[in-house]
Amino acid sequence: MTHSTITDAALSGRRTAAIARGVGVTTQVYADRAENAEIWDKGGARYIDFAAGIAVVNTGHRHPKVIAAVKAQLDRFTHTCHQVVPYENYVTLAERLNDKVPGDFPKKTLFATTGAEAVENAVKIARHYTGRAAVIAFAGGFHGRTFMGMALTGKVQPYKAGFGPMMADVWHLPFPIALQGVTAEDSLAALDRLFKADLEPTRVAAILIEPVQGEGGFYEVPAGFMASLRAICDTHGIVLIVDEVQTGFARTGKLFAMEHHGVAADITTMAKGLGGGLPISAVTGRAEIMDSPNPGGLGGTYAGNPLAIAAANAVLDVIEEEQLCDRATRLGQRLKQRLAGMQEAVPQIADIRGPGFMNAVEFAVPGTGAPDAGFAGRVREEALSRGLILLTCGVYGNVIRFLAPLTIPDAVMGEALEILEASVLAARG
């Protein structure tokens, strides 16, 4: 493909000189414009976007309804700080989330700006409500780069390394991953051992889990596991927090991934896909839990920015009107079938998984089953050279995750699948 290497090389040099090294970059493609599932760089080179800003533009880049909503809000006001001068669309979005988040009980919502802020607030609320301090999370989980987010995250590199002591009273359990020989029973037994050896249940404020691990490798919670956690939390008065930052807003074939499990969390955290490209996050939970902190204990200057609130209301409309939950399921089936068709020719494919259009392929060394991060990296690089943007993930870096917009046109999806197959075959060769 034609690629504007001179333009991007010059920008890359400027970026290296100006921006902190800790802000990592997956590609050297500098975006000039984007539309739905496609991105063009300054030289006019076109890319199919299977990252969607890490599951942010589920409704596609610059969805017309989202753009129109933001423009309309822009003409009225951009910021008042809701804690100073509130506005109606903030209230409307809270009402809609209270209705849509799983759980047959009264709920309340607060808005913040990032997923990490949502998680921080969820932990604050759980601690305030229970009067307890300890929080249990899972190995491989990702919950943000703030200090509590880092502490909760179950992956040292690159998120924790070198940043000193983590927040106290955070504990990790093994996440149930059959491919790695960890069953749901193993995880629950580890929790039982934790309660017996180190941490009495009456000291635990919350258990935090992703229904599908994001950075951890797109491993889905096995059937029945959420119900077991729910029962344990109910027995011991522990708040169940579910992190739907990456799984939310039609990505898994349901508006929220917890709908696959028939279990409601006490608190749900959201971000990414909610804003359709604008920064917004939310915490929705049981009304009596959410109302525990005193006025002023929650919030933020930019929390629930009017432009992002307008975008989020439009995103919910688009998901419903375009039936994106159903479309996610169809797209995911198409992708997984194409990958399954490669397995015989590519023995490095160890697993194909994921609900809806939150899918992944895991690569391992044939014969040994050892994680093959090199193969995953080659697939990503081959795809990029052919105009397809992919992301890797997993504790071992051997997983390719697929997060294309749910609005991707069928023809563009077909083109992407052709590139993907060519890239996998090239990596094998």
Side-chain angles (χ1 to χ4, degrees):
M1 63 173 293
T2 304
H3 183 62
S4 56
T5 51
I6 297 174
T7 302
D8 286 353
L11 284 169
S12 180
R14 287 169 55 195
R15 182 192 180 282
T16 300
I19 295 174
R21 190 172 66 95
V23 182
V25 160
T26 301
T27 76
Q28 292 299 324
V29 175
Y30 284 78
D32 182 57
R33 62 188 178 92
E35 195 80 23
N36 201 346
E38 299 166 271
I39 294 174
W40 289 263
D41 71 8
K42 287 186 175 294
R46 167 185 171 264
Y47 295 84
I48 300 172
D49 183 10
F50 261 47
I54 315 184
V56 166
V57 287
N58 289 354
T59 50
H61 293 282
R62 301 182 64 252
H63 191 287
K65 278 215 157 196
V66 176
I67 295 298
V70 174
K71 284 182 176 178
Q73 181 60 52
L74 192 63
D75 287 338
R76 301 189 75 83
F77 59 92
T78 63
H79 177 77
T80 64
C81 184
H82 185 79
Q83 295 102 284
V84 179
V85 178
Y87 30 95
E88 183 183 6
N89 58 354
Y90 185 114
V91 178
T92 300
L93 184 60
E95 290 170 337
R96 296 178 78 178
L97 291 180
N98 292 341
D99 179 60
K100 291 179 182 297
V101 168
D104 187 18
F105 43 78
K107 303 184 202 79
K108 290 195 175 183
T109 290
L110 70 88
F111 295 108
T113 310
T114 68
E117 279 185 277
V119 170
E120 294 267 345
N121 277 288
V123 171
K124 282 170 61 176
I125 293 164
R127 283 180 162 179
H128 197 281
Y129 176 74
T130 61
R132 307 172 182 181
V135 183
I136 297 171
F138 286 83
F142 178 80
H143 302 288
R145 293 178 177 86
T146 54
F147 260 98
M148 179 53 82
M150 277 194 298
L152 292 164
T153 292
K155 187 178 178 183
V156 171
Q157 292 286 357
Y159 305 116
K160 298 185 181 187
F163 291 116
M166 294 294 112
M167 299 290 285
D169 239 357
V170 173
W171 308 77
H172 286 94
L173 298 174
F175 190 85
I177 302 171
L179 196 65
Q180 296 177 9
V182 182
T183 66
E185 291 73 22
D186 292 333
S187 293
L188 294 172
L191 178 58
D192 187 58
R193 287 194 298 273
L194 180 67
F195 284 162
K196 286 181 168 58
D198 291 303
L199 181 65
E200 65 270 35
T202 53
R203 208 157 61 73
V204 179
I207 295 176
L208 171 66
I209 189 169
E210 296 166 282
V212 183
Q213 286 201 328
E215 299 295 319
F218 278 34
Y219 298 104
E220 187 176 6
V221 167
F225 190 72
M226 282 293 189
S228 297
L229 287 185
R230 177 73 273 171
I232 290 165
C233 287
D234 290 344
T235 297
H236 298 293
I238 297 168
V239 174
L240 179 61
I241 303 174
V242 170
D243 184 334
E244 292 250 23
V245 169
Q246 194 161 160
T247 54
F249 304 101
R251 176 55 58 182
T252 68
K254 302 284 188 182
L255 190 63
F256 295 101
M258 285 298 284
E259 294 174 55
H260 293 286
H261 297 278
V263 171
D266 297 306
I267 297 176
T268 300
T269 63
M270 299 153 267
K272 290 188 183 288
L274 174 59
L278 274 75
I280 184 172
S281 63
V283 183
T284 299
R286 291 181 182 272
E288 69 270 21
I289 297 176
M290 296 295 292
D291 274 347
S292 177
N294 296 317
L298 305 173
T301 302
Y302 290 109
N305 169 269
L307 299 176
I309 292 280
N313 274 306
V315 162
L316 292 180
D317 291 340
V318 169
I319 289 172
E320 185 173 339
E321 291 166 6
E322 300 187 17
Q323 299 179 319
L324 293 187
C325 291
D326 291 340
R327 180 158 178 77
T329 299
R330 292 196 302 274
L331 289 167
Q333 288 170 344
R334 188 176 171 190
L335 171 62
K336 287 184 281 190
Q337 285 169 1
R338 188 62 173 262
L339 288 166
M342 303 180 208
Q343 278 186 295
E344 189 174 339
V346 185
Q348 288 87 354
I349 295 178
D351 193 30
I352 300 161
R353 59 177 175 266
F357 202 26
M358 187 172 181
N359 310 130
V361 57
E362 181 159 346
F363 298 108
V365 177
T368 70
D372 197 339
F375 194 94
R378 290 196 300 278
V379 171
R380 188 190 67 78
E381 290 162 8
E382 289 284 351
L384 187 63
S385 72
R386 291 166 166 82
L388 176 63
I389 297 171
L390 298 175
L391 296 174
T392 57
C393 66
V395 173
Y396 303 103
N398 65 319
V399 178
I400 297 279
R401 54 177 157 169
F402 303 98
L403 289 168
L406 309 179
T407 51
I408 184 171
D410 288 338
V412 178
M413 179 70 174
E415 185 184 352
L417 293 179
E418 292 292 332
I419 294 172
L420 175 62
E421 181 163 349
S423 302
V424 172
L425 294 175
R428 179 203 59 180

